[in-house]
């Protein structure tokens, strides 16, 4: 319960500089946290754990690293 509360309140309290979001796995809680982060203008970085069709491994990893780097700026 305490971890869930901290997870839900971090975007509102500006305790989160960005949010890594696994777009292949969602639940009502992860959807709620994503919405809270969007409302707080917290940068969202969507990641995947599987290689997208039509991409090389290097291109996929580069795109994920680039998304994270953009959020850190």
């Amino acid at each position: 319960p305490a971890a869930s509360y901290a997870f839900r309140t971090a975007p509102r309290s500006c305790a989160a500089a960005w949010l890594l979001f696994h777009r292949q796995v969602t639940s009502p809680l992860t959807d709620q946290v994503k919405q809270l982060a969007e409302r707080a203008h917290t940068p969202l970085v969507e990641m995947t754990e599987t290689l997208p069709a039509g991409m090389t491994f290097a291109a996929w990893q580069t795109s994920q690293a680039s998304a994270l780097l953009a959020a850190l700026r």
Side-chain angles (χ1 to χ4, degrees):
S4 178
Y5 175 78
F7 192 66
R8 288 191 320 264
T9 59
R12 284 188 301 218
S13 67
C14 297
W18 41 267
L19 176 68
L20 281 178
F21 186 76
H22 189 321
R23 66 181 174 156
Q24 294 170 307
V25 178
T26 61
S27 71
L29 178 59
T30 60
D31 291 342
Q32 179 185 15
V33 171
K34 184 179 176 184
Q35 290 171 358
L36 290 170
E38 288 171 336
R39 281 189 231 133
H41 304 288
T42 301
L44 295 173
V45 181
E46 291 189 356
M47 297 283 172
T48 62
E49 66 180 86
T50 56
L51 178 66
M55 290 187 84
T56 66
F57 181 81
W60 169 49
Q61 290 300 298
T62 299
S63 71
Q64 294 201 115
S66 294
L68 180 55
L69 181 60
L72 295 173
R73 292 187 177 158

